[in-house]
Amino acid sequence: MRTLKAIVPVLALVAVAAGCSASDDGDEQRLNGLRENYCLQLGMWQKARNAEGSVTPESPAYGEAALVAEDAVHAMRPLRDEAVSGGGTLGETTVLAINNGDGNAEARAVQYCADVGFETLTR
């Protein structure tokens, strides 16, 4: 009976440790999915913006680029506090790139995608 009392806490500890490991893997997969989606949306925004060229704000292409930009900002939100190379957060960098047309910020956002393994999704 004494052996059983010693084994139960050990098994409980092993189960908890295994649960943490599985949870960590799930969290990492979720984070990886969020990063991939952000980089995909950023690339789509770049493509729409580049296709827009000298389109006026009244044209349909301009509105499409704005919608794609909104999708990129939405995809960034869960990752907004992640650090980017060159300083700042992904949130700050994305807003500067999309809203202000800051080429340096866009380069940092693209570098972020390269750093997390999704460089082929951006331009």
Side-chain angles (χ1 to χ4, degrees):
M1 188 71 167
R2 187 175 179 117
T3 304
L4 185 58
K5 286 183 180 178
I7 291 175
V8 171
V10 170
L11 290 176
L13 182 60
V14 169
V16 168
C20 289
S21 178
S23 176
D24 290 346
D25 289 344
D27 289 347
E28 188 61 35
Q29 287 178 342
R30 180 179 176 277
L31 181 58
N32 198 43
L34 291 170
R35 288 171 172 165
E36 181 178 19
N37 183 49
Y38 168 76
C39 294
L40 176 66
Q41 297 301 324
L42 181 68
M44 290 175 66
W45 166 73
Q46 290 175 309
K47 184 177 180 181
R49 186 225 28 226
N50 292 345
E52 178 183 292
S54 61
V55 175
T56 66
E58 294 80 27
S59 73
Y62 188 87
E64 183 179 325
L67 290 174
V68 175
E70 194 174 306
D71 290 341
V73 169
H74 182 71
M76 168 275 301
R77 285 186 181 133
L79 303 167
R80 68 182 165 267
D81 295 328
E82 292 214 336
V84 294
S85 62
T89 65
L90 188 61
E92 296 163 342
T93 300
T94 302
V95 169
L96 286 171
I98 292 176
N99 290 349
N100 297 357
D102 185 329
N104 291 327
E106 183 177 343
R108 289 192 307 273
V110 169
Q111 183 60 49
Y112 168 85
C113 289
D115 291 345
V116 297
F118 298 109
E119 65 276 359
T120 59
L121 299 177
T122 59
R123 300 202 164 274

